[in-house]
Amino acid sequence: QVQLVESGGGSVQAGGSLRLSCAASGYTNRQYCMGWFRQAPGKEREGIAVFYSGGGITYYADSVKGRFTISQDNAKNTLYLQMNSLKPEDTAMYYCAASSRQRCSDYVWRDYVYDYWGQGTQVTVSS
C-alpha cells in the first residue's frame, strides 16, 4: 500500500506561483509513475504532469508546459509540482497519483493506470 498526502494549495492572484507537495509513504520504491492530476468544477479530471522513474522522463500536458515543473526528492519520498505564471483556468483540485505498473509510461494520462491517489489540495487563482 502507498499513502499519498498533498499540501501546498491555496489562493493566489494570476501570475503568481505555488509549490505543491505530495508526501508518499509505504511501498514507494515500487511506483513507476508518479504524477499530478487536477479537476475543475464541472470538468473531467485531467493529467498535467507525470514523472516516470523507469527512465527519468517527465511528461507535461500542453496546458501547463513551460509553466509547471514536476520533480521528485527520493530521500524525502516527496513529489513536487512547481507552478508559475498561474492563470484563473488553473483553478482546480489537484491530486497526486502513483502507479506500480512498469508500462505506465504508455498511458500516463489515463487515470485508471494509477493505483493510489491522494485526497487533493485546492488551488484557486483569481484574476
Side-chain angles (χ1 to χ4, degrees), residues 17-20 67-71 80-84:
S17 298
L18 283 173
R19 188 177 79 157
L20 305 184
R67 300 188 298 124
F68 291 10
T69 302
I70 189 172
S71 62
Y80 300 100
L81 184 68
Q82 177 67 43
M83 305 187 296
N84 298 328

Side-chain angles (χ1 to χ4, degrees), residues 37-117:
F37 286 70
R38 67 185 182 186
Q39 187 168 21
K43 294 188 177 181
E44 292 188 354
R45 185 164 56 189
E46 63 168 339
I48 56 172
V50 173
F51 178 82
Y52 174 59
S53 64
I57 302 170
T58 55
Y59 302 85
Y60 294 97
D62 289 342
S63 58
V64 306
K65 199 173 294 183
R67 300 188 298 124
F68 291 10
T69 302
I70 189 172
S71 62
Q72 193 170 18
D73 186 334
N74 290 328
K76 296 182 178 180
N77 285 337
T78 301
L79 185 74
Y80 300 100
L81 184 68
Q82 177 67 43
M83 305 187 296
N84 298 328
S85 302
L86 283 161
K87 305 175 181 180
E89 51 263 43
D90 294 318
T91 294
M93 184 70 79
Y94 283 69
Y95 299 92
C96 175
S99 173
S100 59
R101 309 181 194 203
Q102 282 185 290
R103 297 293 302 275
C104 59
S105 58
D106 293 342
Y107 311 97
V108 291
W109 305 128
R110 306 293 186 182
D111 54 7
Y112 60 73
V113 168
Y114 297 85
D115 310 294
Y116 306 101
W117 294 83

